Amino acid sequence: MTETRWLDADEERSWRALRRLLTALPARLGRDLTALGLSSTDYEVLSTLSERDGWRWGLKDLARKMEWSRSRLSHHAARMEARGLIEREPDPDDGRGSIYHLTDAGFRTLEAAAPGHLDSVRRRLLDHLSRDELAVLERISTRIADLPD
Amino acid sequence: MTETRWLDADEERSWRALRRLLTALPARLGRDLTALGLSSTDYEVLSTLSERDGWRWGLKDLARKMEWSRSRLSHHAARMEARGLIEREPDPDDGRGSIYHLTDAGFRTLEAAAPGHLDSVRRRLLDHLSRDELAVLERISTRIADLPD
DNA sequence: TACGTTCTTTTGACATGTCACAGAGACCTG
DNA sequence: CAGGTCTCTGTGACATGTCAAAAGAACGTA
């Protein structure tokens, strides 16, 4: 039996602070976005789709790019299709595949929400960080996120 | 009509990196915890309850402390009570109130999971940060989390 | 070509969170 | 102290995520 090594005071404070950030920031951005008519997840799907020429992605590629499970994306896409934001069609090159693409309405919805969302990210995060802090945050975030799953 | 001010390259990279952290880190910690038999939320409830002498909290106070909605806590507590981790009783001082407290089984479950969770936090975060980075992270997180809702 | 295996999407059952509201108790004021 | 109002918890309807499995298509090989 080895003794559990607890957190020292510095670690404890940092971890508590980060936990607060981890819950508060996404919640706030999500609320702002909801006020603009989209959930965070809706926005994520729309903006990722729009990054590709023709606004077209296969489910599998899109799910990998977004780091979502395929099941999750399939469910979510079904709901978004019902609202007319995206459409799905069979992949002509692979009978198993499914191609998702933005509708015009979906693109307009994204365009309408984007400036407000950007503003929200600034007000709730970027405006409060110096250039140095921005750099450190990027370095830390990348290193941690890049660790193996 | 004012022009939307988009993110510059530094801001864009930092924000993307942070977004990856915001999704990946909680997901990983949650998976580790699940392997130990508790969801993240279960762990949060148990550990917060255990912080108070007698392991007793009123729903309202506990919800505020955890920054959860009362409804959410009520639902979750009902499920945890069904599993024998906590118990609820009417508040003798306020007929509307409800007092939650850990059961022995709940406390033992928490004790059993805590070392593994701590280890997970180290492996997936703390071990990869220098003391300086730890300090910057705390400063940034606190500042952002402390912004008004 | 025929077979078994692997891959891909969808679906259903279930866990969890949000929102609005019901019901009961506490509080305030004339 | 009576009536209206506020506060608190729990509940029901619904949105969203996970997991396991079904159904069909593609692939590899004898």
Side-chain angles (χ1 to χ4, degrees):
Chain A
M1 258 334 184
T2 76
E3 188 74 17
T4 303
R5 186 167 53 110
W6 299 99
L7 301 183
D8 65 39
D10 291 347
E11 293 171 324
E12 174 79 23
R13 283 199 321 278
S14 291
W15 170 230
R16 277 186 190 271
L18 179 59
R19 263 193 323 196
R20 286 212 300 138
L21 178 72
L22 251 31
T23 59
L25 183 58
R28 290 167 190 172
L29 296 174
R31 250 190 307 111
D32 293 347
L33 217 31
T34 298
L36 296 169
L38 287 175
S39 68
S40 300
T41 45
D42 292 338
Y43 188 90
E44 211 178 324
V45 171
L46 292 181
S47 72
T48 309
L49 270 175
S50 77
E51 282 177 16
R52 184 105 125 197
D53 292 342
W55 307 338
R56 307 175 74 76
W57 287 78
L59 183 161
K60 190 192 165 196
D61 296 336
L62 185 57
R64 180 142 31 93
K65 167 79 174 177
M66 298 179 64
E67 303 189 70
W68 280 22
S69 77
R70 300 178 196 174
S71 170
R72 178 185 182 185
L73 182 53
S74 179
H75 275 300
H76 204 91
R79 291 189 292 262
M80 293 181 74
E81 186 172 35
R83 287 191 289 149
L85 297 172
I86 67 173
E87 277 172 358
R88 296 187 281 186
E89 20 174 324
D91 183 341
D93 296 334
D94 183 336
R96 298 166 300 182
S98 182
I99 307 279
Y100 292 8
H101 66 91
L102 275 187
T103 60
D104 285 338
F107 185 72
R108 282 196 308 273
T109 303
L110 175 62
E111 263 190 334
H117 176 58
L118 208 59
D119 185 57
S120 163
V121 173
R122 288 196 182 285
R123 273 187 306 111
R124 299 194 177 277
L125 177 71
L126 298 176
D127 282 351
H128 309 279
L129 301 177
S130 70
R131 282 287 147 172
D132 281 354
E133 289 170 335
L134 208 62
V136 174
L137 185 60
E138 180 193 344
R139 212 151 39 77
I140 293 178
S141 298
T142 302
R143 188 187 315 147
I144 301 299
D146 280 344
L147 289 174
D149 255 342
Chain B
M1 256 332 191
T2 77
E3 187 75 15
T4 303
R5 186 167 53 109
W6 300 98
L7 301 183
D8 65 38
D10 292 346
E11 293 171 325
E12 175 79 22
R13 283 199 322 279
S14 292
W15 171 228
R16 277 185 189 268
L18 179 59
R19 261 191 325 193
R20 287 212 300 138
L21 178 71
L22 251 31
T23 59
L25 184 58
R28 290 167 190 171
L29 296 174
R31 250 190 307 112
D32 292 347
L33 217 32
T34 298
L36 296 168
L38 286 174
S39 70
S40 298
T41 44
D42 292 338
Y43 188 90
E44 212 179 322
V45 172
L46 292 180
S47 73
T48 309
L49 270 175
S50 77
E51 281 176 17
R52 184 104 123 197
D53 292 342
W55 306 338
R56 306 176 74 75
W57 286 77
L59 183 161
K60 190 191 165 203
D61 295 335
L62 184 56
R64 180 142 30 96
K65 167 78 175 178
M66 298 179 64
E67 304 188 70
W68 280 21
S69 76
R70 301 179 198 173
S71 170
R72 178 184 182 187
L73 183 53
S74 178
H75 275 301
H76 204 92
R79 292 189 291 264
M80 294 182 72
E81 185 171 37
R83 288 192 288 148
L85 296 172
I86 66 172
E87 279 174 357
R88 297 188 279 186
E89 21 174 323
D91 183 341
D93 297 334
D94 184 336
R96 299 166 301 181
S98 181
I99 307 279
Y100 291 8
H101 66 91
L102 276 186
T103 60
D104 286 337
F107 185 72
R108 282 196 307 272
T109 303
L110 175 63
E111 263 190 332
H117 176 57
L118 208 58
D119 186 57
S120 164
V121 173
R122 289 194 181 286
R123 271 186 309 112
R124 298 193 177 280
L125 178 71
L126 298 176
D127 282 351
H128 309 279
L129 301 177
S130 70
R131 282 287 147 172
D132 280 354
E133 288 170 335
L134 207 63
V136 175
L137 186 60
E138 179 193 343
R139 210 151 39 78
I140 293 177
S141 298
T142 302
R143 187 187 317 146
I144 301 299
D146 280 345
L147 290 173
D149 255 341

